[in-house]
Amino acid sequence: MHEPDGPGRDAGPVIALVPAAGRGVRLGADAPKAFVPIGGVPMLGLAVSGLMAAGVVDEIIVMVPAQLVEATAALLPPAAPARIVAGGAERTDSVRAGLANAGDAAYVLVHDAARALTPPTLIARVVAELRAGHRAVVPALPVVDTVKTVDSAGVVTGTPDRSALRAVQTPQGFAADVLRSAYEHPEAATDDAGLVERLGIGVRTITGDPLAFKITTPLDLRLAEAVLDGKQVVGRC
Ligand code: CTP
Ligand code: MG
């Protein structure tokens, strides 16, 4: 078992960085993905609302395409404790830009705008683990498909043991000094924990939530619309 070894309870503010500067090539919508609405609200607005509803985040920094910095404030929930900064060409560049603005954070969450339906309870669980002293915490779920490794010609080279595989989600939470050290290295990674692992720091997984799925393709967008529709119907009952 990985024992807590971080700064501990009540060490200081939690700042959430929300990467929202991607183009959304796989979604193929007219607007950058984070600005595509679900149930009439842009994904970025839903993600920020979820962070506020968790009740554990002191400040939110959203990273958007440079040309949308000024237009973004109107798309966020009223009274959101948010700052808006320009992201970069790769997700790693966007997170680095956010981190540069997170000066007084004790803990940093990195939470994709594209995981717009993430339950606030999951966000609160990640922060609780950080406050308990764990320095890097990621939500993770078992992988449902069998996964293969392949060579450049597409020929299978191996079948990793599925029981040891996990699909990771966001928010990923870190003691601020840990994430800062990870980002001193120039490599890119598809998740922030990947950079922390390279420092040799233990990354704790907690049970993720299916609703924290990343909206990547048109089918994901339809699923998200259906989930929100269902919630509104339940809410009316
Ligand atoms: N992101 C970012 N800056 C980038 C690239 C991605 O802030 N240069 C953000 C996206 O806006 C998204 C999150 O990182 O909220 C996860 O990335 P992904 O799902 O890959 O989104 P996109 O890069 O927008 O999509 P695609 O890869 O299909 O173009
Ligand atoms: Mg991308």
Side-chain angles (χ1 to χ4, degrees), residues 38-41 46 225-237:
I38 306 171
V41 181
L46 291 170
E225 293 273 9
V227 169
L228 266 196
D229 264 6
K231 276 192 178 162
Q232 275 149 15
V233 169
V234 170
R236 281 199 295 269
C237 290

Side-chain angles (χ1 to χ4, degrees), residues 8 12 15 34 36 39 46-47 50-51 54 60 72 75 92 96 98 109 111 132 142 165 186 210 225 231-232:
I15 298 187
V36 172
L46 291 170
L51 286 163
I60 300 169
T72 297
L75 305 177
T92 319
R96 188 175 279 114
L109 300 183
H111 185 41
L165 296 176
E225 293 273 9
K231 276 192 178 162
Q232 275 149 15

Side-chain angles (χ1 to χ4, degrees), residues 149-215:
T149 55
V150 294
D151 65 16
S152 58
V155 175
V156 170
T157 54
T159 307
D161 172 13
R162 193 173 69 186
S163 68
L165 296 176
R166 297 290 180 274
V168 299
Q169 304 178 318
T170 73
Q172 299 192 349
F174 306 94
D177 60 328
V178 166
L179 195 62
R180 286 214 175 82
S181 302
Y183 270 85
E184 277 166 17
H185 299 269
E187 300 92 3
T190 54
D191 78 327
D192 307 286
L195 294 174
V196 169
E197 288 152 40
R198 289 179 208 172
L199 300 178
I201 291 173
V203 175
R204 177 175 175 79
T205 61
I206 62 168
T207 304
D209 192 302
L211 287 176
F213 71 100
K214 186 158 70 71
I215 298 161

Side-chain angles (χ1 to χ4, degrees), residues 92-131:
T92 319
D93 303 317
S94 297
V95 174
R96 188 175 279 114
L99 199 52
N101 283 276
D104 60 347
Y107 305 103
V108 179
L109 300 183
V110 187
H111 185 41
D112 292 331
R115 297 184 190 270
L117 304 187
T118 301
T121 49
L122 177 61
I123 297 163
R125 282 197 285 124
V126 171
V127 171
E129 293 291 318
L130 291 173
R131 293 225 181 261

Side-chain angles (χ1 to χ4, degrees), residues 62-82:
V62 300
M63 294 81 80
V64 301
Q67 73 278 13
L68 292 174
V69 167
E70 288 192 4
T72 297
L75 305 177
L76 299 182

